[in-house]
Structure formats: structure tokens, C-alpha cells
Amino acid sequence: MAKANGKNWLRAKGSAAGSKVTFLELFFDLVFVFSISQLSHALAAHYTPLGAAEAALMTFAVWWVWIFTAWVTNWLDPDKMPVRGMLVVLMMLGLVLSASIPEAFGDKGLLFAGAYVAMQVGRSLFTTYAMTRVDRANTLNFIRITAWLVAAAVFWIAGGLLEHEARLIAWVIALAIEYIGPAAGFAVPRLGRSRPSDWDVSGAHMAERCALFVIICLGEAILVSGRTFSELPVSGLTSIVFVTGFIGTVAMWWLYFRFGHGRAAHRIEHEATPGALARQAFTYGHIPILAGIIVHAVAVEFMFSHPHETGDLGIAAAVLGGSGLFLIGNLWFKGATSGRMPLSHLAGLVIVILLAFVAPFIEIYLLGILATLVLIIVAAWEYRSLTGTAAAPTIH
């Protein structure tokens, strides 16, 4: 429990203000609009197995630096001047990180790694200091977290100094350390490990923060459709692709927000150990959701540029992969927050897998229509099964 003193930069837990997402947090998210745009463009420009692996790694890194900051601002009050200054510094470093993404595996590897390490370790050290004499349990938590992030930082910086596949291997090790950390309770010799009960988070704040990040990703998909459509001559085919991409994005929005987000926010607010649920449903469970939206944005680009392509398994993988990853993420997210896997999503995932067998024989734009149709069917099925159920709060 936080004690009142002159250096208390924590939110007031248990109040409406304690779970409010501040304007500065929304301002902070603008940097990640740029990040998501850079990631989708990097994947589309280097669409090879190696390029996909590199884009996936950078997606994991961008998400991790953002979600760690969301956890921190769940405790620290962004309206307090020192916290506000910390977030502004993180924004600047995030802008450097985002600008480095296209050449992260080229000439700007060390810049990318340096910005990432500065954000992760710097924020963790600041939070440790902010917790001192205010919240002993979380002071120990952030000392443990800092230790894990410093261990990962060695591989981030080493990777920035290496080249090609060696850089990729070093950064995979760094990410593995960081991703294992929460599941391992950030265990450190002599300091023990964190327990789920230690993570007393505001569920409403966490749910809203992650929902806003999903909106950022969906916005990138909308921008891709609009920008590409504006650059091409108007024709029946480009109009069909434009409408297909737009409807697919709307279906993703519906699947996440119509029932998923509302149920999650309600569940986590009444959970005995909200930290454990937040880690499962938000920290980890949102990764395939975000990856699915990014791949969907890339697939829309491919549908515009290669509408009549057949037999290209790589492009087909992007078209089906966006819907598939998004459904996997929602299965994870909704399963963690409702206690059961939605049958509609399982069925949709099976259909996507079956479409993979016929994908080599279907033109890309038609495959895109079918992938979008799957999302529409899943959304309609879930709506029919949950409408009128008291346990399913709606979003207005």
C-alpha cells in the first residue's frame, strides 16, 4: 500500500482518476502509430522468410516496450511532473526506435538497440526510484525487472554490433529473456520472485490502454487501404479490393470490441488477482491480435498490387495469415477472460486452414474476399450466440 509523502508519484488506486487514461498517454501512443506503419511497410518491402522473421522480431520488441510502459503508467500518475517528463523522454526515444526500423538489420542496428535498451532499462530504473519508500513490494518487483532487462540489454547491444544472421540470433536471445521474465516471476537470486498478488493493477486502465493500441493497428490497416486506393486508377477491381480491405478491418474491430473488450474489462475489474489475468490476456494474449492486424494491412497492399496472382504461397500466407493470427489472438484473449474458447472463432480458424489447401488455385483478390468472409461469419456467429446474454456487456 502506498504511503503519502512528498515523493509519491503513484496513482490514487480505487478512484475513477486512478483508472483514467490521461491525454499524455494518448499523446505517447502517437509514436507507436509511426512504429506500426514502419513495421507494415518493412514487412511488405522485404517479404521473404528472413524479412518476415526480422519484422516479427521488431513487432515483438515494439509491443514489449509499449506494454511495459502501459504497466508502469498503471501505477505511476502521468499528471505528476516527473512521470510526465519520463514519458516525454520515452516518446523521443520511441521516435528514434521507430525511425530505425527500416534499417534495423542494416546500418541502424545499434541505433535501434540503443534506443530500445534506453527505453526499457531507463523506464524501469525510474519506476524503481519512484516506488522507493512508497511501495516496498513493487520496489522489489522493479529491481527484479531491471535485472532481467539489463541481462537482455547485453544481447541487444551485442546484436547491434554484429551483422546479418548473427544480429538476428542475438536479438532473439534478448527477446526470449524479456518474454520469459514475466512468466518466471522475474526470479532473481536472493531477491526471490514476484507473485501474481503483488501486481495490483487497475483492470479498467489496462483494458483501455490495450484497446487503444488495437485501434492504432486497425488505423494503419485503414490508412493502407485509403492511401493505396488513392494512388491507383479507379476500376472495378481496385474498388472491390478497397471494399474488401475495409470490411475486413471493420470485422476485426467488431470481433475485438463488440464483446471481447467489454467482457475483459468487466472480468479483470472483479478478479481476485488482476495482475495474473492482465499478464495472460493483455501482455501475452494481444501479441497475435496485433500481428494479425499488421499482416492484414500487408495483405491489402498485396491484393492491390497482385490481384490476379495465383500459386504464390507467400502472398497467400499473408492474406490468410492476417485473419488466422487475429482469430488465434482473440481465442487466447477471450478464453483467458471468459473461461471458455468461443466456438465461432475455432470454426473460423478451421475454415482459414482449409482455405490454405485451395489457396494456390485462387486469385489473390478472391482469396482476400474469402478471408474477409470468414471474419464476417465468425462475427455474425458470435453476435447471435451472445446477444442478450447478461454476461456479455456491450460497448457503446
Side-chain angles (χ1 to χ4, degrees):
M1 183 68 66
K3 299 177 182 178
N5 64 44
K7 204 198 72 173
N8 189 351
W9 303 334
L10 273 63
R11 288 176 180 264
K13 293 288 185 180
S15 66
S19 60
K20 177 185 176 183
V21 174
T22 64
F23 289 123
L24 181 58
E25 289 174 276
L26 299 178
F27 188 41
F28 173 79
D29 287 350
L30 290 178
V31 169
F32 291 87
V33 174
F34 184 35
S35 296
I36 298 303
S37 177
Q38 292 281 73
L39 286 168
S40 65
H41 293 329
L43 178 57
H46 305 283
Y47 194 68
T48 63
L50 180 59
E54 293 172 351
L57 184 145
M58 289 186 289
T59 300
F60 284 134
V62 166
W63 167 249
W64 213 235
V65 79
W66 183 88
I67 192 64
F68 266 48
T69 305
W71 276 85
V72 162
T73 54
N74 198 279
W75 283 294
L76 302 185
D77 186 353
D79 287 333
K80 300 292 176 64
M81 190 57 69
V83 181
R84 184 171 295 180
M86 182 267 293
L87 285 175
V88 170
V89 171
L90 287 181
M91 284 183 67
M92 183 186 69
L93 291 170
L95 197 58
V96 174
L97 180 82
S98 302
S100 305
I101 285 174
E103 291 295 325
F105 286 88
D107 296 336
K108 295 182 179 178
L110 190 57
L111 191 63
F112 179 89
Y116 182 87
V117 167
M119 293 181 77
Q120 291 288 75
V121 176
R123 181 197 55 243
S124 187
L125 287 171
F126 177 91
T127 309
T128 303
Y129 176 74
M131 294 291 183
T132 306
R133 298 195 308 274
V134 177
D135 189 331
R136 175 170 172 74
N138 269 323
T139 299
L140 289 175
N141 278 340
F142 280 95
I143 290 174
R144 298 183 191 108
I145 291 170
T146 303
W148 279 72
L149 293 177
V150 168
V154 173
F155 292 94
W156 281 112
I157 299 302
L161 296 171
L162 297 171
E163 295 182 355
H164 308 303
E165 287 79 5
R167 176 176 297 173
L168 179 61
I169 292 170
W171 284 358
V172 166
I173 295 171
L175 269 182
I177 292 171
E178 293 196 20
Y179 270 73
I180 291 170
F186 298 104
V188 174
R190 298 189 179 183
L191 293 179
R193 58 182 294 163
S194 301
R195 298 168 298 173
S197 58
D198 293 334
W199 303 98
D200 182 21
V201 298
S202 166
H205 177 269
M206 185 64 70
E208 186 174 357
R209 292 297 289 123
C210 289
L212 291 170
F213 200 89
V214 172
I215 286 290
I216 288 173
C217 294
L218 290 171
E220 170 60 16
I222 293 289
L223 288 174
V224 166
S225 294
R227 182 181 61 248
T228 309
F229 184 63
S230 70
E231 294 171 351
L232 295 173
V234 177
S235 69
L237 183 58
T238 56
S239 298
I240 289 172
V241 171
F242 172 72
V243 171
T244 299
F246 177 75
I247 292 177
T249 306
V250 171
M252 288 179 167
W253 173 86
W254 180 275
L255 283 168
Y256 181 87
F257 285 97
R258 183 59 177 87
F259 293 111
H261 173 259
R263 291 165 69 96
H266 181 266
R267 168 74 184 276
I268 197 171
E269 276 295 283
H270 298 84
E271 185 72 11
T273 55
L277 182 59
R279 183 183 68 192
Q280 174 76 356
F282 295 108
T283 301
Y284 291 119
H286 272 60
I287 297 169
I289 292 176
L290 306 177
I293 299 172
I294 291 172
V295 173
H296 167 69
V298 173
V300 171
E301 284 198 53
F302 289 155
M303 283 191 287
F304 274 115
S305 59
H306 306 281
H308 296 296
E309 187 81 40
T310 57
D312 192 320
L313 297 182
I315 295 179
V319 174
L320 295 178
S323 298
L325 284 169
F326 187 79
L327 289 174
I328 289 171
N330 274 273
L331 272 170
W332 188 347
F333 173 51
K334 294 178 182 179
T337 53
S338 69
R340 64 183 181 84
M341 297 287 188
L343 181 60
S344 57
H345 292 50
L346 286 168
L349 192 57
V350 169
I351 296 173
V352 170
I353 294 171
L354 293 175
L355 283 176
F357 290 98
V358 298
F361 313 104
I362 301 178
E363 293 184 349
I364 289 299
Y365 85 95
L366 291 175
L367 188 63
I369 293 173
L370 292 175
T372 297
L373 186 60
V374 170
L375 295 177
I376 294 172
I377 291 171
V378 172
W381 184 343
E382 183 180 45
Y383 178 76
R384 286 182 61 86
S385 64
L386 293 179
T387 298
T389 303
T394 59
I395 304 301
H396 299 285

